[in-house]
Amino acid sequence: PHKIETACGHMAGLNLLPVSTTMAPQKTLRQVKARHFPSNLEVSGYEIHHGRTSGDNLTVIIRTENEVSGVSTEDGHIWGTYLHGIFDADPFRRWFIDRLRVRAGKSPAGRILTTYNLEQAFDKIADAVRESLNIDEIYRMMKI
């Protein structure tokens, strides 16, 4: 109704979850700690959204302030959250991937195989760029 991020006043969603979202004028920006109920694991990340969601749902993620931060279908196959960065938590990501493996008929790994480390990933990218490009030539072209 406030025409946030669109000129359209109303738009149908995908109807994958039994919820309704209204875009509010105030944007929510906050760091959140929460618990994912099916795994009983702590997750964290940022909520960045204009949406205010309500409806019949199954709570799947709840913030430490006891506010719902994620909902799912009854079978848990479809779920949604405003929490950006939820898969950064290594134990939760492993749990999630193992559930997908089981559904695909594979055995779960049951242990963390890789860790989330942005600094290490950025360093690898920077090394690849340095090895692949003539940085001095680029600086010369930029007159730096």
Side-chain angles (χ1 to χ4, degrees):
H2 305 288
K3 297 188 172 139
I4 305 297
E5 297 184 0
T6 182
C8 181
H10 181 268
M11 183 181 296
L14 297 175
N15 293 317
L16 298 175
L17 292 168
V19 298
S20 176
T21 300
T22 301
M23 300 297 274
Q26 299 80 24
K27 190 173 205 172
T28 297
L29 299 163
R30 62 181 159 200
Q31 192 165 11
V32 171
K33 288 189 181 214
R35 180 149 311 275
H36 177 257
F37 279 146
S39 67
N40 199 34
L41 292 169
E42 185 175 290
V43 293
S44 63
Y46 290 93
E47 283 192 1
I48 306 171
H49 58 91
H50 279 280
R52 303 292 183 261
T53 301
S54 61
D56 298 329
N57 58 62
L58 178 62
T59 300
V60 68
I61 299 169
I62 193 158
R63 293 197 308 266
T64 53
E65 306 86 27
N66 288 325
E67 291 184 44
V68 174
S69 193
V71 298
S72 77
T73 55
E74 200 167 314
D75 64 8
H77 290 177
I78 300 171
W79 58 278
T81 182
Y82 284 124
L83 195 56
H84 295 258
I86 191 169
F87 293 107
D88 296 355
D90 298 329
F92 175 72
R93 188 178 60 252
R94 177 76 267 151
W95 178 90
F96 183 84
I97 291 170
D98 278 350
R99 298 297 73 70
L100 294 175
R101 290 179 59 84
V102 168
R103 283 180 48 200
K106 299 179 179 185
S107 61
R111 61 185 174 83
I112 295 171
L113 301 175
T114 186
T115 59
Y116 179 80
N117 184 329
L118 271 182
E119 291 302 319
Q120 184 179 18
F122 289 148
D123 288 345
K124 283 183 179 180
I125 291 170
D127 290 344
V129 169
R130 279 189 214 96
E131 291 172 13
S132 302
L133 299 176
N134 183 340
I135 298 296
D136 291 334
E137 180 63 16
I138 291 171
Y139 287 160
R140 186 193 66 71
M141 292 168 62
M142 295 172 62
K143 298 181 179 165
I144 295 177

mmCIF file of all heavy atoms in Angstrom, residues 10-35:
data_model
loop_
_atom_site.group_PDB
_atom_site.id
_atom_site.type_symbol
_atom_site.label_atom_id
_atom_site.label_comp_id
_atom_site.label_asym_id
_atom_site.label_seq_id
_atom_site.Cartn_x
_atom_site.Cartn_y
_atom_site.Cartn_z
ATOM 1 N N HIS A 10 -0.274 -3.649 -5.003
ATOM 2 C CA HIS A 10 -0.517 -5.017 -4.550
ATOM 3 C C HIS A 10 0.012 -5.979 -5.598
ATOM 4 O O HIS A 10 -0.121 -5.738 -6.797
ATOM 5 C CB HIS A 10 -2.015 -5.255 -4.340
ATOM 6 C CG HIS A 10 -2.329 -6.637 -3.853
ATOM 7 N ND1 HIS A 10 -2.621 -7.664 -4.723
ATOM 8 C CD2 HIS A 10 -2.361 -7.167 -2.606
ATOM 9 C CE1 HIS A 10 -2.845 -8.775 -4.015
ATOM 10 N NE2 HIS A 10 -2.683 -8.486 -2.738
ATOM 11 N N MET A 11 0.598 -7.070 -5.158
ATOM 12 C CA MET A 11 1.138 -8.061 -6.080
ATOM 13 C C MET A 11 1.014 -9.442 -5.453
ATOM 14 O O MET A 11 1.301 -9.619 -4.270
ATOM 15 C CB MET A 11 2.610 -7.753 -6.359
ATOM 16 C CG MET A 11 3.276 -8.670 -7.350
ATOM 17 S SD MET A 11 5.028 -8.248 -7.595
ATOM 18 C CE MET A 11 4.869 -6.611 -8.297
ATOM 19 N N ALA A 12 0.579 -10.397 -6.240
ATOM 20 C CA ALA A 12 0.489 -11.778 -5.751
ATOM 21 C C ALA A 12 1.883 -12.378 -5.662
ATOM 22 O O ALA A 12 2.737 -12.117 -6.506
ATOM 23 C CB ALA A 12 -0.379 -12.613 -6.679
ATOM 24 N N GLY A 13 2.091 -13.171 -4.620
ATOM 25 C CA GLY A 13 3.360 -13.870 -4.474
ATOM 26 C C GLY A 13 3.275 -15.252 -5.086
ATOM 27 O O GLY A 13 2.384 -15.547 -5.893
ATOM 28 N N LEU A 14 4.187 -16.110 -4.719
ATOM 29 C CA LEU A 14 4.219 -17.475 -5.249
ATOM 30 C C LEU A 14 3.277 -18.414 -4.508
ATOM 31 O O LEU A 14 3.063 -19.538 -4.939
ATOM 32 C CB LEU A 14 5.649 -18.023 -5.185
ATOM 33 C CG LEU A 14 6.675 -17.270 -6.025
ATOM 34 C CD1 LEU A 14 8.070 -17.833 -5.777
ATOM 35 C CD2 LEU A 14 6.329 -17.338 -7.500
ATOM 36 N N ASN A 15 2.764 -17.983 -3.363
ATOM 37 C CA ASN A 15 1.859 -18.798 -2.547
ATOM 38 C C ASN A 15 2.474 -20.122 -2.098
ATOM 39 O O ASN A 15 1.779 -21.129 -1.995
ATOM 40 C CB ASN A 15 0.531 -19.036 -3.280
ATOM 41 C CG ASN A 15 -0.255 -17.755 -3.427
ATOM 42 O OD1 ASN A 15 -0.338 -16.968 -2.491
ATOM 43 N ND2 ASN A 15 -0.816 -17.538 -4.601
ATOM 44 N N LEU A 16 3.766 -20.116 -1.843
ATOM 45 C CA LEU A 16 4.433 -21.318 -1.348
ATOM 46 C C LEU A 16 4.263 -21.479 0.162
ATOM 47 O O LEU A 16 4.327 -22.581 0.676
ATOM 48 C CB LEU A 16 5.919 -21.289 -1.703
ATOM 49 C CG LEU A 16 6.241 -21.260 -3.196
ATOM 50 C CD1 LEU A 16 7.739 -21.105 -3.415
ATOM 51 C CD2 LEU A 16 5.719 -22.513 -3.887
ATOM 52 N N LEU A 17 4.063 -20.355 0.847
ATOM 53 C CA LEU A 17 3.833 -20.361 2.289
ATOM 54 C C LEU A 17 2.508 -19.659 2.566
ATOM 55 O O LEU A 17 2.160 -18.704 1.873
ATOM 56 C CB LEU A 17 4.961 -19.623 3.022
ATOM 57 C CG LEU A 17 6.328 -20.282 2.995
ATOM 58 C CD1 LEU A 17 7.397 -19.319 3.491
ATOM 59 C CD2 LEU A 17 6.329 -21.543 3.844
ATOM 60 N N PRO A 18 1.775 -20.103 3.571
ATOM 61 C CA PRO A 18 0.485 -19.481 3.886
ATOM 62 C C PRO A 18 0.653 -18.183 4.679
ATOM 63 O O PRO A 18 0.266 -18.072 5.834
ATOM 64 C CB PRO A 18 -0.227 -20.553 4.708
ATOM 65 C CG PRO A 18 0.878 -21.281 5.396
ATOM 66 C CD PRO A 18 2.034 -21.275 4.426
ATOM 67 N N VAL A 19 1.293 -17.199 4.038
ATOM 68 C CA VAL A 19 1.564 -15.927 4.692
ATOM 69 C C VAL A 19 1.224 -14.778 3.756
ATOM 70 O O VAL A 19 1.062 -14.956 2.554
ATOM 71 C CB VAL A 19 3.043 -15.811 5.127
ATOM 72 C CG1 VAL A 19 3.410 -16.878 6.138
ATOM 73 C CG2 VAL A 19 3.972 -15.867 3.932
ATOM 74 N N SER A 20 1.161 -13.608 4.339
ATOM 75 C CA SER A 20 0.952 -12.374 3.598
ATOM 76 C C SER A 20 1.997 -11.376 4.067
ATOM 77 O O SER A 20 2.272 -11.280 5.268
ATOM 78 C CB SER A 20 -0.453 -11.839 3.866
ATOM 79 O OG SER A 20 -0.630 -10.600 3.220
ATOM 80 N N THR A 21 2.587 -10.652 3.137
ATOM 81 C CA THR A 21 3.604 -9.673 3.487
ATOM 82 C C THR A 21 3.168 -8.295 3.024
ATOM 83 O O THR A 21 2.763 -8.131 1.874
ATOM 84 C CB THR A 21 4.963 -10.037 2.852
ATOM 85 O OG1 THR A 21 5.362 -11.316 3.332
ATOM 86 C CG2 THR A 21 6.024 -9.010 3.188
ATOM 87 N N THR A 22 3.256 -7.340 3.912
ATOM 88 C CA THR A 22 2.980 -5.950 3.594
ATOM 89 C C THR A 22 4.285 -5.181 3.695
ATOM 90 O O THR A 22 5.001 -5.295 4.698
ATOM 91 C CB THR A 22 1.946 -5.350 4.575
ATOM 92 O OG1 THR A 22 0.754 -6.129 4.490
ATOM 93 C CG2 THR A 22 1.646 -3.905 4.252
ATOM 94 N N MET A 23 4.597 -4.423 2.664
ATOM 95 C CA MET A 23 5.804 -3.619 2.678
ATOM 96 C C MET A 23 5.541 -2.371 3.515
ATOM 97 O O MET A 23 4.605 -1.630 3.254
ATOM 98 C CB MET A 23 6.207 -3.234 1.256
ATOM 99 C CG MET A 23 6.472 -4.447 0.365
ATOM 100 S SD MET A 23 7.840 -5.445 0.947
ATOM 101 C CE MET A 23 9.178 -4.591 0.177
ATOM 102 N N ALA A 24 6.367 -2.158 4.524
ATOM 103 C CA ALA A 24 6.212 -1.027 5.438
ATOM 104 C C ALA A 24 7.183 0.095 5.057
ATOM 105 O O ALA A 24 8.240 -0.171 4.481
ATOM 106 C CB ALA A 24 6.479 -1.478 6.865
ATOM 107 N N PRO A 25 6.836 1.329 5.376
ATOM 108 C CA PRO A 25 7.732 2.444 5.037
ATOM 109 C C PRO A 25 9.093 2.362 5.739
ATOM 110 O O PRO A 25 10.102 2.740 5.171
ATOM 111 C CB PRO A 25 6.976 3.688 5.508
ATOM 112 C CG PRO A 25 5.566 3.264 5.675
ATOM 113 C CD PRO A 25 5.591 1.794 5.971
ATOM 114 N N GLN A 26 9.108 1.846 6.978
ATOM 115 C CA GLN A 26 10.365 1.760 7.715
ATOM 116 C C GLN A 26 11.080 0.460 7.382
ATOM 117 O O GLN A 26 10.492 -0.611 7.446
ATOM 118 C CB GLN A 26 10.124 1.815 9.231
ATOM 119 C CG GLN A 26 9.478 3.077 9.718
ATOM 120 C CD GLN A 26 7.970 3.075 9.502
ATOM 121 O OE1 GLN A 26 7.342 2.032 9.406
ATOM 122 N NE2 GLN A 26 7.387 4.253 9.395
ATOM 123 N N LYS A 27 12.352 0.562 7.062
ATOM 124 C CA LYS A 27 13.161 -0.613 6.759
ATOM 125 C C LYS A 27 13.754 -1.159 8.053
ATOM 126 O O LYS A 27 14.271 -0.402 8.874
ATOM 127 C CB LYS A 27 14.275 -0.242 5.790
ATOM 128 C CG LYS A 27 15.016 -1.425 5.220
ATOM 129 C CD LYS A 27 15.977 -0.975 4.142
ATOM 130 C CE LYS A 27 16.247 -2.118 3.197
ATOM 131 N NZ LYS A 27 17.016 -1.664 2.042
ATOM 132 N N THR A 28 13.661 -2.455 8.241
ATOM 133 C CA THR A 28 14.269 -3.114 9.397
ATOM 134 C C THR A 28 15.705 -3.465 9.048
ATOM 135 O O THR A 28 15.972 -4.113 8.034
ATOM 136 C CB THR A 28 13.488 -4.393 9.758
ATOM 137 O OG1 THR A 28 12.163 -4.034 10.127
ATOM 138 C CG2 THR A 28 14.159 -5.145 10.894
ATOM 139 N N LEU A 29 16.624 -3.042 9.880
ATOM 140 C CA LEU A 29 18.054 -3.343 9.736
ATOM 141 C C LEU A 29 18.573 -3.709 11.114
ATOM 142 O O LEU A 29 18.677 -2.849 11.982
ATOM 143 C CB LEU A 29 18.833 -2.118 9.232
ATOM 144 C CG LEU A 29 18.437 -1.554 7.877
ATOM 145 C CD1 LEU A 29 18.972 -0.152 7.718
ATOM 146 C CD2 LEU A 29 18.952 -2.448 6.781
ATOM 147 N N ARG A 30 18.856 -4.983 11.328
ATOM 148 C CA ARG A 30 19.363 -5.374 12.645
ATOM 149 C C ARG A 30 20.099 -6.698 12.566
ATOM 150 O O ARG A 30 19.781 -7.569 11.768
ATOM 151 C CB ARG A 30 18.251 -5.447 13.669
ATOM 152 C CG ARG A 30 17.189 -6.476 13.361
ATOM 153 C CD ARG A 30 16.105 -6.471 14.411
ATOM 154 N NE ARG A 30 14.895 -7.078 13.877
ATOM 155 C CZ ARG A 30 13.702 -6.903 14.366
ATOM 156 N NH1 ARG A 30 13.530 -6.151 15.405
ATOM 157 N NH2 ARG A 30 12.670 -7.483 13.825
ATOM 158 N N GLN A 31 21.088 -6.816 13.431
ATOM 159 C CA GLN A 31 21.793 -8.083 13.574
ATOM 160 C C GLN A 31 20.975 -8.939 14.525
ATOM 161 O O GLN A 31 20.451 -8.450 15.529
ATOM 162 C CB GLN A 31 23.194 -7.870 14.113
ATOM 163 C CG GLN A 31 24.043 -9.107 13.993
ATOM 164 C CD GLN A 31 25.507 -8.803 14.177
ATOM 165 O OE1 GLN A 31 25.894 -7.729 14.590
ATOM 166 N NE2 GLN A 31 26.332 -9.784 13.877
ATOM 167 N N VAL A 32 20.855 -10.227 14.188
ATOM 168 C CA VAL A 32 19.949 -11.106 14.914
ATOM 169 C C VAL A 32 20.656 -12.404 15.305
ATOM 170 O O VAL A 32 21.428 -12.959 14.540
ATOM 171 C CB VAL A 32 18.732 -11.447 14.010
ATOM 172 C CG1 VAL A 32 17.874 -12.517 14.620
ATOM 173 C CG2 VAL A 32 17.926 -10.199 13.730
ATOM 174 N N LYS A 33 20.333 -12.867 16.493
ATOM 175 C CA LYS A 33 20.676 -14.233 16.914
ATOM 176 C C LYS A 33 19.356 -14.954 17.064
ATOM 177 O O LYS A 33 18.392 -14.393 17.589
ATOM 178 C CB LYS A 33 21.447 -14.232 18.222
ATOM 179 C CG LYS A 33 22.851 -13.722 18.070
ATOM 180 C CD LYS A 33 23.636 -13.934 19.329
ATOM 181 C CE LYS A 33 25.027 -13.370 19.082
ATOM 182 N NZ LYS A 33 26.041 -14.094 19.743
ATOM 183 N N ALA A 34 19.326 -16.193 16.601
ATOM 184 C CA ALA A 34 18.069 -16.933 16.620
ATOM 185 C C ALA A 34 18.361 -18.421 16.763
ATOM 186 O O ALA A 34 19.506 -18.861 16.738
ATOM 187 C CB ALA A 34 17.289 -16.661 15.335
ATOM 188 N N ARG A 35 17.279 -19.192 16.903
ATOM 189 C CA ARG A 35 17.381 -20.651 16.979
ATOM 190 C C ARG A 35 16.520 -21.246 15.884
ATOM 191 O O ARG A 35 15.383 -20.854 15.693
ATOM 192 C CB ARG A 35 16.927 -21.154 18.342
ATOM 193 C CG ARG A 35 17.012 -22.675 18.457
ATOM 194 C CD ARG A 35 17.313 -23.166 19.844
ATOM 195 N NE ARG A 35 18.417 -22.552 20.532
ATOM 196 C CZ ARG A 35 19.700 -22.922 20.404
ATOM 197 N NH1 ARG A 35 20.030 -23.889 19.604
ATOM 198 N NH2 ARG A 35 20.636 -22.327 21.104
#
